[in-house]
Amino acid sequence: MDMNRIVLRLYITGNSVRSQQAIANIYRICQEDLGDQYNVEIIDVLEQPQRAEEEKIMVTPTLIKQLPPPLQRIIGDMSNTEKVLLGLDIVPEGLQVRLPED
Amino acid sequence: MIDQETDGIEKLETGIPGFDFLSDGGLPLGRATLIAGTAGSAKTIFASQFLVEGIQRGENGVFVTFEEPPKALRKNMRGFGWDIQQWENEGKWVFVDASPQPGDRPIVSGEYDLGALIARIEHAVRKYKASRISLDSLGAIFSHLSDSAQVRSDLFRLASALRELGVTAIMTAERVEEYGEISRYGVEEFVADNVVIVRNVLADEKRRRTIEILKYRGTDHQKGEFPFTIINKKGIVIIPLSAIELEQKSSDIRITSGSEELDRMCGSGFFRDSIILVSGATGTGKTLMVTEFMDGGVANGERCLVFAFEESREQLIRNATGWGVDFKQMEKEGKLKVVCRYPETTNLENHLIMMKDIIQEFKPNRVAVDSLSALERVSTLKSFREFIIGLTSFIKQQEIGGLFTSTTPNLLGGASITDAHISTITDSIILLRYVEMYGEMRRGITVLKMRGSMHDKDIREFSIDHQGMHIGKPFRNVTGILAGTPMYTAQSEVERLSGLFDEKI
């Protein structure tokens, strides 16, 4: 497996607006910024509450970056692309690089 | 599940000692009750005990912890004899762990809500068929959500989810002041139908715990603050003072005071279910009266119990031997139980519960407490009053005789605070006083009050020797003994005064 591969888990609650937005946003960010270097698993906590329990998920939507380490949680509907990328370590910390906006 | 709108409000017996009385039957079934209190006011214990008592009644419980991790809770609650781990293994208790995780600083990107937590809670309740749930404490939700409008909306979602599930819920909330806003964020109380406040007030350098039902939508409850205490192996025990009803039977059966002469002064002994207060300065013979009271009981084949708060066991036994009473032998025969405690070892509420437990276990026919004044030292005035009321009413309900002693601060005359507090509760009052005459200290005894009976109104002299107490003649020509200023009066004046009253009658 590729060392640089990013493994993500997105916890959502059913068809709520925020959940659907989070799914759309994360796919968009992945496609635009991660190329094909990613895996996203979507977990609906209404259907799999046990998994939310195991990960002690409090709020939805919650995105967990499983790999590469360190583990990072990002919460919200993923509407702030900059923050998501920061959480995914795509923008190196310390460097004031601004990503081009559409 | 209950239809909340149409049915009357049913209640769920919590099993927490005293609470079901206070709340007139327990917590409203299928509803949420907020337990608000400052730090250290026993909210978490209340929340845990609510589940524990449920498990003991065959009802499963869910504990949602927002602050302490489950590991810490399991450990902390062991002291009460609650083996949470065991119940978890048996599927009777389940944690929903919402406690802060180490290194948990999520990055925020957009809006979110507590949907995951609510889903976890619903899952736990359904899976374990729980009928009780505790959430400890709501305020911590604020640390997960930044926006207070979001908190409000999520709390309402949570509350309605719980209502849907039909579980009876306890939610705890932190308060900032003992007497002030109900909860820290001012939102918590709106999600619960009922509000109970627990307090841990510092008064006179002593802690006093109380519980008050503030709001109990549409249902009856006792009003005001009630003292409670926390006991090893038991948890919270509430002392419901107004539960005490004045409906004790009072019998005409007389029991001996242990002294024939005193029996005569009281009109042939004390009443069986009465409370007798013996008041006097130090060294006037109060402990002697306790000893005689015990001796008289044992001689009649009664079981006797003495709580000593002033003297050690050895001292007490030695003193009794000095008056010709063998406590050791009586204890060996199981007729007597001597319980010695330092008043300072614990608070008054705990003393009361300990004493009740011993009385229930030993089932005595008579009880003596020596002395109440020693207990007065360790409490606030209010606690002391509640203690006296609690103890006397309990003793009366058991239909046993009680003899309490109280020390007056002044050597001559005077009354103590103890006397002022309990004189109306006691059935009989016996005063022991020093009488100074011609440079000599002598002792006087009088029966000040004897409910429901004729009694000797004289102040009699008494002496103490190796056989105990001997009551002699009245001080005929001395006045002012009770006031502490004895005055010698001429014999002719005494005769003139007594003649005066005779003529009037």
Side-chain angles (χ1 to χ4, degrees):
Chain A
M1 198 174 177
D2 192 335
M3 281 293 286
N4 295 324
R5 195 160 192 84
I6 294 178
V7 178
L8 304 173
R9 281 188 194 149
L10 180 63
Y11 293 82
I12 52 135
T13 35
N15 292 319
S16 73
V17 179
R18 274 176 196 151
S19 296
Q20 296 310 311
Q21 277 171 350
I23 294 171
N25 285 334
I26 205 66
Y27 274 121
R28 178 179 52 77
I29 293 167
C30 287
Q31 277 164 4
E32 286 172 6
D33 298 291
L34 306 185
D36 54 0
Q37 300 288 304
Y38 68 93
N39 269 350
V40 184
E41 183 186 7
I42 310 253
I43 296 146
D44 184 350
V45 297
L46 298 182
E47 280 169 18
Q48 295 179 279
Q50 198 54 50
R51 291 194 62 181
E53 187 60 49
E54 282 156 15
E55 279 298 326
K56 301 190 184 4
I57 305 292
M58 286 289 293
V59 299
T60 41
T62 293
L63 180 72
I64 298 185
K65 183 191 67 164
Q66 296 287 131
L67 285 173
L71 213 71
Q72 179 63 53
R73 288 184 181 218
I74 305 165
I75 56 175
D77 57 13
M78 309 296 147
S79 53
N80 187 331
T81 308
E82 251 178 81
K83 286 279 177 66
V84 176
L85 293 175
L86 182 74
L88 298 182
D89 255 345
I90 302 299
V91 183
E93 274 180 79
L95 287 179
Q96 297 289 318
V97 178
R98 285 209 158 262
L99 286 158
E101 291 276 356
D102 292 12
Chain B
M1 212 174 291
I2 321 148
D3 189 340
Q4 313 268 328
E5 308 306 324
T6 53
D7 284 4
I9 292 161
E10 277 186 73
K11 286 186 179 170
L12 173 78
E13 267 189 40
T14 59
I16 296 172
F19 188 79
D20 294 327
F21 166 78
L22 218 66
S23 54
D24 203 24
L27 291 174
L29 188 69
R31 296 190 169 214
T33 301
L34 189 78
I35 308 286
T38 52
S41 59
K43 299 183 296 292
T44 305
I45 299 172
F46 194 103
S48 305
Q49 196 169 352
F50 172 61
L51 297 193
V52 172
E53 300 291 349
I55 288 169
Q56 272 148 15
R57 284 168 165 68
E59 301 165 18
N60 295 347
V62 173
F63 197 105
V64 186
T65 176
F66 291 96
E67 279 167 3
E68 286 180 88
K71 200 177 160 195
L73 279 168
R74 285 184 202 113
K75 189 161 170 265
N76 295 348
M77 298 302 153
R78 282 208 70 98
F80 300 115
W82 303 337
D83 191 348
I84 296 176
Q85 184 75 64
Q86 177 66 27
W87 292 322
E88 283 180 274
N89 296 344
E90 293 167 2
K92 294 174 178 169
W93 175 303
V94 63
F95 277 113
V96 171
D97 183 5
S99 62
Q101 301 300 310
D104 200 4
R105 289 297 307 267
I107 290 169
V108 179
S109 168
E111 292 183 335
Y112 53 92
D113 55 58
L114 282 178
L117 178 70
I118 293 169
R120 285 165 65 191
I121 292 172
E122 285 175 329
H123 169 66
V125 170
R126 289 216 176 89
K127 184 173 173 195
Y128 293 91
K129 297 184 175 58
S131 44
R132 300 186 182 210
I133 185 168
S134 287
L135 297 96
D136 182 50
S137 76
L138 285 191
I141 288 179
F142 285 81
S143 66
H144 290 280
L145 302 172
S146 50
D147 179 4
S148 74
Q150 186 65 52
V151 170
R152 193 177 275 257
S153 113
D154 276 344
L155 281 180
F156 278 108
R157 262 179 71 195
L158 179 61
S160 74
L162 292 176
R163 250 196 307 275
E164 282 290 300
L165 289 165
V167 285
T168 308
I170 289 273
M171 300 172 169
T172 68
E174 186 105 335
R175 305 183 73 207
V176 186
E177 295 164 1
E178 291 296 359
Y179 296 91
E181 297 290 315
I182 291 178
S183 61
R184 179 180 293 250
Y185 300 99
V187 177
E188 297 96 314
E189 61 260 38
F190 294 106
V191 297
D193 298 313
N194 319 293
V195 177
V196 174
I197 297 200
V198 281
R199 292 190 175 91
N200 187 15
V201 182
L202 188 66
D204 303 341
E205 299 176 7
K206 282 145 199 153
R207 283 278 171 198
R208 197 178 117 84
R209 292 183 185 277
T210 63
I211 183 164
E212 177 189 10
I213 296 179
L214 192 70
K215 183 170 95 172
Y216 232 47
R217 247 171 227 174
T219 99
D220 269 347
H221 62 87
Q222 299 288 319
K223 318 274 188 304
E225 291 183 41
F226 289 80
F228 75 89
T229 185
I230 296 162
I231 300 184
N232 283 348
K233 307 283 168 202
K234 268 191 181 174
I236 290 173
V237 178
I238 300 164
I239 302 161
L241 284 177
S242 60
I244 296 155
E245 289 163 20
L246 275 173
E247 56 178 31
Q248 301 93 7
K249 282 170 258 165
S250 53
S251 68
D252 292 335
I253 301 164
R254 300 269 189 163
I255 58 171
T256 177
S257 67
S259 153
E260 267 179 52
E261 295 128 327
L262 182 58
D263 285 353
R264 219 173 297 133
M265 286 179 79
C266 296
S268 72
F270 302 144
F271 285 116
R272 193 191 64 191
D273 325 311
S274 69
I275 303 287
I276 302 111
L277 176 70
V278 178
S279 166
T282 175
T284 43
K286 295 185 301 299
T287 305
L288 169 62
M289 285 208 50
V290 168
T291 309
E292 299 224 320
F293 185 61
M294 295 288 106
D295 187 35
V298 171
N300 283 350
E302 296 178 25
R303 293 167 72 79
C304 302
L305 175 62
V306 56
F307 293 103
F309 293 101
E310 285 189 339
E311 289 170 300
S312 74
R313 204 185 157 71
E314 295 308 314
Q315 271 176 307
L316 213 67
I317 290 171
R318 193 195 59 206
N319 292 348
T321 310
W323 298 315
V325 178
D326 191 351
F327 270 4
K328 264 189 181 158
Q329 182 59 30
M330 291 175 180
E331 275 207 298
K332 210 177 282 171
E333 289 166 11
K335 291 283 180 198
L336 175 78
K337 190 176 175 73
V338 179
V339 179
C340 291
R341 292 282 160 93
Y342 274 111
E344 282 79 6
T345 47
T346 181
N347 62 20
L348 222 44
E349 286 80 8
N350 286 2
H351 275 304
L352 177 58
I353 285 160
M354 176 274 289
M355 289 165 83
K356 280 182 174 179
D357 283 350
I358 293 173
I359 290 171
Q360 255 164 352
E361 195 189 5
F362 187 68
K363 297 189 179 31
N365 301 94
R366 49 175 75 187
V367 174
V369 179
D370 187 31
S371 71
L372 289 179
S373 313
L375 291 170
E376 196 183 316
R377 286 203 306 266
V378 299
S379 71
T380 61
L381 219 59
K382 198 162 162 37
S383 295
F384 183 66
R385 212 184 144 68
E386 286 164 354
F387 168 82
I388 298 288
I389 294 169
L391 183 64
T392 49
S393 63
F394 180 75
I395 288 179
K396 285 194 163 195
Q397 276 162 7
Q398 310 297 309
E399 299 183 4
I400 56 184
L403 184 129
F404 302 161
T405 68
S406 144
T407 310
T408 48
N410 304 328
L411 273 188
L412 295 167
S416 73
I417 302 166
T418 315
D419 293 4
H421 273 298
I422 66 171
S423 56
T424 52
I425 298 161
T426 55
D427 300 295
S428 307
I429 299 177
I430 294 168
L431 295 183
L432 303 178
R433 288 286 185 267
Y434 283 117
V435 183
E436 186 196 344
M437 283 170 66
Y438 301 119
E440 194 188 352
M441 272 300 201
R442 290 153 81 170
R443 290 184 175 94
I445 181 170
T446 187
V447 179
L448 194 68
K449 165 175 143 183
M450 180 86 193
R451 225 170 242 171
S453 170
M454 291 297 289
H455 62 89
D456 192 352
K457 311 286 194 294
D458 288 328
I459 301 172
R460 290 176 179 269
E461 179 166 12
F462 75 95
S463 59
I464 300 170
D465 66 11
H466 64 280
Q467 287 179 319
M469 176 189 261
H470 299 285
I471 300 173
K473 289 205 170 84
F475 290 98
R476 268 295 170 230
N477 31 20
V478 183
T479 59
I481 294 171
L482 294 186
T485 53
M487 298 266 288
Y488 212 70
T489 320
Q491 186 61 33
S492 58
E493 181 69 5
V494 174
E495 276 162 14
R496 195 186 67 82
L497 278 172
S498 56
L500 200 72
F501 287 116
D502 278 346
E503 278 163 34
K504 277 192 176 171
I505 294 163

